Amino acid sequence: MKFGTKAIHSGVEPDPSTGAIMTPIFQTSTYVQEDAGVHKGYQYSRTQNPTRDALQKNIAALENASYGACFGSGLAAIDCVMKMLTPGDEVISTNDLYGGSYRLFKTIFEKYGIKFHFVEMNDMDKVRELINQRTKLIWAETPTNPMINIIDIRGLVKLADSCDAWLCVDNTFATPYLQNPIDLGADIVMHSVTKYLGGHSDVIMGALVTSNELIAKEMYRIQNSSGAVPGPMDCFLVLRGIKTLHLRMQRHCENGAKIAHFLQAHSAVEKVYWPGFEAHSNHLIAKQQMRDYGGMLSFTLEGNKLQDAQAVFRHLKLFSLAESLGGVESLIGHPATMTHSSIPKKDREASGIVDSLIRLSVGVEDAEDLIYDLRQALEIL
Ligand SMILES: *Cc1c(COP(=O)(O)O)cnc(C)c1O
């Protein structure tokens, strides 16, 4: 089955009791049993809920995986992966990863005896050097935030196999429409469903998928034991959002390309980070492992002045200044003062997060209007 058909049909069936075409919101905590221990497969909603089940199956199908589990947030999904490890285990992670993931690793799981290494994954040798017999997990994010680096998933699969570690890919930025890490050999895929999968900036949720039965058993055991499950109303909203994932992604990609080219040609813009450009340092890997280049891009301003970036934000009318990404509406962010402000200025700048770096989550509005908005804001410089 092709992607758009799966997005609409996988995991969902008309409700057998009424014929309702939409999966009902099963807003219930418990289920009546016919006799002690005799039930219809549902006993308590932390463990199983029909609305959540439909969504879990749907997301697993989109990633070509056998098992899926949803969580109360993207971070709760990552928390579940880390709870599969035991003290003494080591994790090798992308260095420019989502700030919340870094905080979870450093301030929660390091305390329980798990050791984290952060490394630039553009260079596979740097990853190889960190591998030892305690390496249990490689954690990768690609494209990365906010520098839009692309990491070679197949290269990481080889390294993970060489040391019997698992590879987990945070696929939030790419979405299953653009990239399927399980097909490339990854063991687990994680999503902040909050972003493109939900797609409408109205839900916080996370998901994990895998085709490994052993990992799946652990995943469901921890989901039920720790209890960070999403409610049925949120599952319903995401099921609805995913039905248009392929349509939204097409437009995100089209608009992203148009805006990248517009910015590239603008005299006030210094550099545009978008993997579709042949000059992008990871363009070839992007071309191999992604179907298109997505709606996330970053750029810097000539002169690299903080005041100039701030002036641009103040003059934009359609792009809203906000954290998060992946919704239908276009957002603009300033990593140096927003998402990455806790990183010391020197370290930040070493990885490219300079004062004038601006990140765009290009929405699905009409590209002409978005470009008009950017042009009038850049004109004041
Ligand atoms: C937002 C985000 C997360 C965290 O997800 P929440 O749903 O906010 O908990 C993790 N990884 C990436 C890449 C994200 O963008």
Side-chain angles (χ1 to χ4, degrees):
M1 213 186 274
K2 292 258 200 306
F3 192 89
T5 315
K6 283 197 282 193
I8 293 167
H9 293 286
S10 287
V12 300
E13 278 161 26
D15 176 48
S17 63
T18 60
I21 193 158
M22 291 306 300
T23 307
I25 304 161
F26 284 92
Q27 194 77 48
T28 186
S29 61
T30 191
Y31 307 84
V32 176
Q33 308 197 2
E34 278 165 48
D35 231 325
V38 181
H39 52 77
K40 300 179 167 66
Y42 296 94
Q43 293 154 279
Y44 188 62
S45 279
R46 172 163 30 72
T47 322
Q48 276 155 327
N49 175 279
T51 318
R52 195 175 90 217
D53 276 359
L55 177 62
Q56 292 182 159
K57 284 186 188 140
N58 181 270
I59 295 177
L62 292 181
E63 286 286 13
N64 299 326
S66 311
Y67 310 96
C70 289
F71 297 85
S73 68
L75 283 173
I78 303 175
D79 179 89
C80 172
V81 177
M82 294 302 145
K83 283 175 177 161
M84 295 181 197
L85 304 176
T86 41
D89 286 352
E90 295 191 9
V91 180
I92 303 173
S93 163
T94 331
N95 63 349
D96 53 345
L97 84 162
Y98 179 70
S101 310
Y102 180 81
R103 183 179 55 208
L104 178 67
F105 297 168
K106 290 296 283 184
T107 70
I108 309 275
F109 283 98
E110 217 166 59
K111 210 165 59 185
Y112 295 106
I114 294 165
K115 191 168 172 185
F116 294 90
H117 303 275
F118 299 93
V119 65
E120 193 195 321
M121 288 192 172
N122 281 333
D123 187 347
M124 287 292 148
D125 288 336
K126 286 191 184 160
V127 183
R128 192 176 292 113
E129 279 165 22
L130 290 168
I131 290 178
N132 62 47
Q133 70 272 25
R134 291 182 297 278
T135 308
K136 286 290 151 60
L137 178 70
I138 297 179
W139 185 272
E141 223 176 88
T142 178
T144 65
N145 175 26
M147 297 315 297
I148 324 288
N149 285 315
I150 308 291
I151 291 158
D152 178 9
I153 296 174
R154 283 189 188 87
L156 288 180
V157 166
K158 277 194 203 129
L159 291 179
D161 286 350
S162 76
C163 62
D164 234 4
W166 292 332
L167 171 64
C168 181
V169 177
D170 179 338
N171 207 25
T172 301
F173 268 39
T175 81
Y177 177 80
L178 294 177
Q179 167 176 291
N180 299 118
I182 299 274
D183 289 345
L184 303 176
D187 301 284
I188 309 170
V189 166
M190 173 262 154
H191 278 285
S192 170
V193 174
T194 310
K195 316 294 168 53
Y196 285 104
L197 296 187
H200 295 76
S201 311
D202 52 7
V203 170
I204 297 284
M205 194 188 295
L208 296 177
V209 304
T210 182
S211 288
N212 178 318
E213 206 182 319
L214 210 103
I215 294 175
K217 259 179 106 167
E218 277 297 276
M219 175 176 82
Y220 292 124
R221 187 179 67 80
I222 296 165
Q223 185 194 37
N224 184 44
S225 302
S226 287
V229 293
M233 177 73 197
D234 283 358
C235 292
F236 172 86
L237 286 172
V238 174
L239 274 168
R240 183 164 76 163
I242 284 179
K243 284 182 198 297
T244 56
L245 178 63
H246 52 304
L247 304 174
R248 289 186 281 112
M249 287 311 295
Q250 277 168 17
R251 182 64 86 86
H252 283 299
C253 291
E254 278 170 30
N255 284 358
K258 284 180 186 163
I259 287 173
H261 284 96
F262 162 75
L263 290 171
Q264 175 95 329
H266 199 286
S267 60
V269 173
E270 184 195 45
K271 189 168 163 104
V272 182
Y273 298 90
W274 178 69
F277 288 132
E278 272 176 38
H280 185 283
S281 53
N282 314 123
H283 174 68
L284 282 181
I285 300 167
K287 219 170 145 173
Q288 281 163 17
Q289 70 187 20
M290 298 172 74
R291 295 182 191 93
D292 204 335
Y293 304 109
M296 297 301 299
L297 57 96
S298 295
F299 64 100
T300 54
L301 299 173
E302 283 292 348
N304 189 33
K305 290 201 206 72
L306 178 65
Q307 312 86 277
D308 285 351
Q310 287 167 333
V312 170
F313 302 143
R314 275 195 298 273
H315 283 84
L316 284 167
K317 294 181 174 74
L318 280 175
F319 282 85
S320 305
L321 185 64
E323 293 194 7
S324 200
L325 58 115
V328 290
E329 59 283 303
S330 291
L331 298 180
I332 193 160
H334 188 232
T337 57
M338 294 166 70
T339 46
H340 294 67
S341 60
S342 58
I343 306 171
K345 190 174 159 89
K346 244 179 87 189
D347 296 349
R348 234 197 298 127
E349 296 195 333
S351 58
I353 307 172
V354 295
D355 280 351
S356 76
L357 185 81
I358 293 172
R359 187 191 81 176
L360 299 182
S361 169
V362 178
V364 300
E365 300 95 335
D366 286 291
E368 292 71 17
D369 291 328
L370 295 177
I371 288 172
Y372 182 87
D373 195 31
L374 286 166
R375 181 182 287 120
Q376 61 83 25
L378 288 167
E379 228 153 54
I380 53 107
L381 297 180

